Amino acid sequence: AGPPEQKVEPEQKVEKIEKFLVIMGAVFPTHPSYDFSNPLQQQAYWLTKRMEEKHDVTVVCREGSSPFKSMVNFTHDLEKVAYAEVKEQVKWEEYQLIVDFSTEKWSYQIAKGKNLKVLYVTHPLLGYETPPPLRYPCMTGVSNAHCAHLSRETGIPVRKLPFGCELVEGDFKREDKDYLLYFGRVVKEKGVHELISLCKKRRLELVVAGDDRSEMGIEPEYVHRILEECDGGMIHYVGSVDESVKLKLISQAHALVIPYLSDTDAFTCLTAKAATLLKVPVIALKRGAVSEFIDQGENGFYVNSIEDLDSFDFEHLDELTFEDAALERARPAYGRFEALIQEAIASPW
């Protein structure tokens, strides 16, 4: 059985939110950011731009970012240094809420000794090393599975704010070139070795794209083994690619395959959401939040084990329906973000 049916609620008219602040500890990308790949910064941009259309938003971000109506800029690349640049420039108490996308959690430092409300948006790989002060426990995760994980780590409630993708219609044409695609870091828990073995055994063409971090000391022997397996015959390794190449690879794939072996690597998987918007099937092991973003028979399939994946029929995927609800869940959660902001402002912290 697939995930529970989720209704897409119609957008409701909301009152204007007077003065809230968004912190981003890096450069905001241009829109759409096809030469830029950073999930947290992309979500921050898309969500904030939509909120700016209706609400009074001020953005703290790196000089050179895309323009917003109201901005406070810093010039240094290091967040710790950048915080020192802006902490005296901003009258923090004037804002109803601080929405913090930074990795250094500026808002926690700012909130000390002040009566401020903070909504901290986490990335799946970051965000719980330093839990927020219990006085300000408004933290978000990207899926139900991620929220449960964060709650166990921090001991506080965590609200759900799914990440999503935005694509300009017509920029990437669907063209099935009959290869399977793996996209992700080349590390053992992502399971790329299992997928390579499967494809070699069944004579299926596979393109492997993603970061090789062996120079940083991350699993160098494993990476060396994977690169040797990618012989350029049926198995191709293209390395780390920018956002435009990533989306082109997805649009031309027969299917995107997610063989992740650990739950923590499958909390969001934005690549799968991009594939859904491009109407490319997603096939995955059921780990983490996979069942939250794959609707069986609509935008793909999930299986329970490597053995099930090994016997999966990749040839007949034409019957997937890509219903509107699945497409909507692949996009940024604009309504949810707006509702969380309003709820946080109304809460008696």
Side-chain angles (χ1 to χ4, degrees), residues 81-320:
V81 179
Y83 168 65
E85 284 188 58
V86 300
K87 67 179 181 180
E88 302 300 332
Q89 295 184 48
V90 179
K91 296 180 180 178
W92 307 100
E93 291 89 346
E94 291 185 357
Y95 295 94
Q96 291 181 284
L97 181 72
I98 299 172
V99 181
D100 192 350
F101 288 93
S102 74
T103 56
E104 290 289 338
K105 302 180 178 60
W106 292 6
S107 55
Y108 298 171
Q109 302 173 60
I110 296 161
K112 290 179 180 177
K114 296 183 175 69
N115 186 27
L116 301 177
K117 293 182 177 182
V118 178
L119 175 65
Y120 183 70
V121 181
T122 65
H123 182 281
L125 299 180
L126 300 167
Y128 59 82
E129 295 85 352
T130 307
L134 292 183
R135 184 181 172 193
Y136 311 106
C138 204
M139 176 184 272
T140 70
V142 297
S143 61
N144 291 330
H146 187 218
C147 289
H149 176 76
L150 287 174
S151 290
R152 287 192 298 269
E153 294 287 338
T154 62
I156 63 174
V158 178
R159 311 303 298 278
K160 181 180 174 182
L161 179 63
F163 281 6
C165 295
E166 279 284 17
L167 304 177
V168 174
E169 188 174 353
D171 277 4
F172 296 91
K173 183 181 178 181
R174 174 73 174 119
E175 182 183 0
D176 189 346
K177 292 195 172 181
D178 207 32
Y179 61 78
L180 302 181
L181 175 66
Y182 167 87
F183 194 96
R185 288 177 291 121
V186 182
V187 290
K188 192 171 184 178
E189 61 265 25
K190 295 268 189 177
V192 63
H193 59 287
E194 299 281 5
L195 183 56
I196 288 174
S197 296
L198 179 159
C199 290
K200 285 194 168 186
K201 181 169 67 176
R202 295 177 54 182
R203 302 289 299 165
L204 299 172
E205 187 175 4
L206 173 66
V207 173
V208 176
D211 291 342
D212 162 12
R213 301 189 180 184
S214 57
E215 291 185 0
M216 300 168 59
I218 300 176
E219 301 187 20
E221 293 181 0
Y222 178 79
V223 172
H224 179 70
R225 169 189 162 191
I226 294 301
L227 295 183
E228 283 191 332
E229 294 280 352
C230 297
D231 52 18
M234 298 296 290
I235 314 296
H236 311 273
Y237 178 68
V238 298
S240 181
V241 299
D242 65 24
E243 193 77 354
S244 59
V245 175
K246 179 183 86 170
L247 293 169
K248 185 174 182 179
L249 285 171
I250 295 171
S251 69
Q252 295 179 347
H254 182 61
L256 173 72
V257 186
I258 305 174
Y260 296 173
L261 303 176
S262 74
D263 288 326
T264 55
D265 280 297
F267 282 147
T268 179
C269 200
L270 281 172
T271 307
K273 296 189 175 184
T276 295
L277 292 176
L278 292 165
K279 298 188 176 180
V280 174
V282 181
I283 315 301
L285 282 178
K286 189 179 179 182
R287 300 288 186 270
V290 161
S291 61
E292 296 180 43
F293 57 76
I294 293 181
D295 295 334
Q296 294 281 53
E298 289 191 13
N299 63 327
F301 298 93
Y302 53 81
V303 297
N304 292 316
S305 67
I306 288 293
E307 291 72 26
D308 292 339
L309 187 63
D310 190 39
S311 60
F312 187 83
D313 180 6
F314 290 100
E315 301 301 321
H316 302 97
L317 299 175
D318 296 337
E319 296 180 1
L320 295 179

Side-chain angles (χ1 to χ4, degrees), residues 5-22:
E5 182 179 356
Q6 299 182 35
K7 295 181 179 179
V8 178
E9 299 293 341
E11 188 171 338
Q12 298 179 354
K13 185 176 180 180
V14 296
E15 294 183 3
K16 181 176 180 179
I17 301 170
E18 297 294 342
K19 291 184 78 69
F20 73 94
L21 185 76
V22 172

